[in-house]
Amino acid sequence: MKILVTGGAGFIGSNFIRYWLKKYSDDEIVNLDKLTYAGHLSTTKDFSGNKNYKFIKGDICDSKIVDQAIEGTDMVVHFAAETHVDRSIVGPKTFILTNFVGTQVLLDAAVSHKVKRFHHVSTDEVFGALPLESTEKFNESTLYNPRSPYSASKAGSDHLVRAYHTTYGLPITITNCSNNFGPYSDPEKFIPRMITDLIDGSPVKIYGDGKHVRDWLYVEDHVRAIDAVLQKGKIGETYLVGGLTEDIPNLEVAKKLLKLFGKDESQIKFVPDRLGHDRRYAVDWSKIEKELGWKPEHNFEEWLVKTVNWYKENDWWWKPLKEEADKLYERTGQK
Ligand code: NAD
Ligand code: DAU
């Protein structure tokens, strides 16, 4: 089996390749990645020498390079995207180009090369925000209601993927996943930003009142869910993927980390809120559990500690990226 992975030099894509090469050691993987500010060869260093792995630097919007990369592949697993909501607020254009137009370019190539599966990795943010005071969760029937340029561009890409299935018969599957945490997550995202700030002796930054809720999933569980969908998922179907956290507000996540570092709440800095900040996400993952036998296995408490340890042991990886993240927050006034 030969798989084209897009965005495999980023957080989740690299964790997917690492997992796949280990579990299915006869399969070949081609990783097409533009190496934006979020993609790094340092992230793929531990598997870049694998004989079944090939890297191609290129943009998914470039149909020529996509055509070369997809040649002879059985499956496409599409991670490549602009992914940071704060960046989409200061500059939406690249989000539309990569997430929407780039997906269309890939879909066209997948149709003309007759790939056996096009798996699209998407987000729970396409469903908008849930009220804080509810027990409601997103499920596969929830209506789309994206509220940031990022989530709107991902929502558009989901619709395109389904449209290519209906119109051209492309064999697709989609997963919409909640917030991931774990190794190789960029220090501009919430949990790694706090961990790397605490290692550096800086305060953690909380947007607004800190009562916003995210559904946290350890990255390896996400990768296992994609594996389950690729092996057993039904063509044309969408599966929601979420974690084991029950409504943990951002402020509580910050307090857990402060405790792990032996610091007190004086190390919390409240900064201006994100524009249009979604209040609450929660995912009902019962469909993928019932139909494909997947459920999250890594609990938040234990794997947060392991994630902290990973960042402590791998500052060679995140230190060079921290400056870029800080520059973004200088621009947004959230430093
Ligand atoms: P990331 O930002 O860490 O990595 C994105 C990767 O895509 C980078 O390697 C980057 O270089 C590459 N890329 C960007 N634009 C490209 C282009 N035009 N052509 C080729 N490569 C390009 O992202 P991530 O957190 O690993 O997210 C991967 C996917 O999962 C995304 O589609 C995202 O929407 C989705 N997702 C992420 C999360 C999360 O919590 N991180 C949750 C749910 C879904
Ligand atoms: O829900 C899935 C989504 O999760 C993915 O689709 C996105 O690609 C991914 O970036 C993530 O989006 P969020 O916007 O939820 O993640 P982020 O890490 O940026 O922020 C998490 C929460 O923490 C959010 O409520 C904003 C808040 N926050 C974030 C940062 C960076 C802070 O309070 N302080 C911060 O410094």
Side-chain angles (χ1 to χ4, degrees):
M1 166 99 71
K2 189 168 173 186
I3 305 173
L4 172 63
V5 171
T6 67
F11 170 37
I12 306 171
S14 65
N15 276 286
F16 174 84
I17 297 175
R18 190 170 290 112
Y19 164 98
W20 200 273
L21 287 173
K22 200 167 161 201
K23 186 165 175 195
Y24 304 102
S25 53
D26 289 337
D27 286 358
E28 286 172 61
I29 289 193
V30 176
N31 175 11
L32 174 64
D33 195 300
K34 188 181 175 183
L35 299 182
T36 67
Y37 82 94
H40 309 280
L41 291 179
S42 58
T43 306
T44 62
K45 199 171 154 222
D46 57 312
F47 56 74
S48 60
N50 187 303
K51 65 176 184 359
N52 288 335
Y53 171 76
K54 181 177 165 193
F55 176 71
I56 299 176
K57 183 174 186 299
D59 190 330
I60 56 165
C61 298
D62 177 348
S63 55
K64 222 165 139 192
I65 200 131
V66 165
D67 221 48
Q68 284 164 18
I70 208 168
E71 180 66 44
T73 58
D74 304 289
M75 285 203 291
V76 176
V77 185
H78 176 32
F79 294 93
E82 287 290 338
T83 67
H84 190 30
V85 175
D86 293 321
R87 280 186 192 268
S88 83
I89 294 167
V90 291
K93 192 172 174 184
T94 52
F95 285 73
I96 309 306
L97 290 177
T98 288
N99 299 0
F100 192 64
V101 179
T103 299
Q104 173 257 317
V105 171
L106 271 176
L107 286 164
D108 277 347
V111 170
S112 67
H113 286 261
K114 298 187 172 54
V115 300
K116 295 187 195 88
R117 177 75 70 91
F118 186 99
H119 182 74
H120 180 55
V121 181
S122 193
T123 170
D124 61 352
E125 296 199 16
V126 297
F127 303 115
L130 297 165
L132 264 191
E133 309 73 20
S134 80
T135 52
E136 211 185 316
K137 293 188 174 191
F138 300 133
N139 62 43
E140 286 77 4
S141 309
T142 306
L143 292 181
Y144 275 47
N145 183 24
R147 292 160 33 92
S148 73
Y150 163 66
S151 52
S153 66
K154 289 295 290 188
S157 69
D158 292 10
H159 292 317
L160 266 184
V161 172
R162 289 194 191 98
Y164 271 64
H165 174 58
T166 309
T167 311
Y168 307 109
L170 183 67
I172 65 105
T173 41
I174 300 179
T175 41
N176 292 86
C177 183
S178 63
N179 287 62
N180 287 217
F181 71 103
Y184 298 103
S185 178
D186 196 285
E188 70 180 10
K189 300 282 174 85
F190 184 48
I191 288 183
R193 185 181 185 198
M194 288 194 290
I195 295 173
T196 54
D197 274 345
L198 288 165
I199 295 173
D200 279 347
S202 305
V204 298
K205 321 300 185 298
I206 296 291
Y207 294 178
D209 59 15
K211 289 183 184 157
H212 303 82
V213 168
R214 295 296 182 264
D215 178 320
W216 291 102
L217 176 77
Y218 190 64
V219 63
E220 198 182 310
D221 281 333
H222 184 186
V223 164
R224 285 178 39 249
I226 297 170
D227 185 7
V229 173
L230 292 176
Q231 305 296 342
K232 299 179 268 183
K234 216 170 128 199
I235 298 301
E237 289 289 307
T238 293
Y239 300 89
L240 262 57
V241 180
L244 292 166
T245 49
E246 289 292 336
D247 274 21
I248 175 164
N250 292 342
L251 201 49
E252 291 309 312
V253 178
K255 285 180 190 169
K256 278 185 195 299
L257 285 175
L258 286 166
K259 207 165 158 204
L260 289 176
F261 279 84
K263 300 196 175 174
D264 64 30
E265 290 172 31
S266 66
Q267 292 307 299
I268 297 176
K269 181 176 171 189
F270 288 90
V271 297
D273 207 353
R274 174 183 282 174
L275 300 179
H277 195 174
D278 287 344
R279 264 299 181 189
R280 173 174 171 265
Y281 304 147
V283 167
D284 171 359
W285 38 265
S286 56
K287 175 179 170 179
I288 186 170
E289 183 185 26
K290 239 180 265 151
E291 294 186 11
L292 310 185
W294 174 92
K295 60 180 179 192
E297 284 174 354
H298 297 78
N299 73 57
F300 189 61
E301 308 290 329
E302 187 184 343
W303 289 85
L304 188 63
V305 176
K306 294 200 178 176
T307 301
V308 167
N309 291 338
W310 187 87
Y311 279 87
K312 282 184 177 165
E313 286 157 15
N314 290 284
D315 64 351
W316 65 272
W317 180 80
W318 61 263
K319 284 254 184 214
L321 318 183
K322 185 77 177 157
E323 202 182 315
E324 192 62 34
D326 284 344
K327 265 194 240 156
L328 168 71
Y329 294 116
E330 258 159 39
R331 241 176 114 193
T332 62
Q334 290 160 314
K335 190 154 188 270

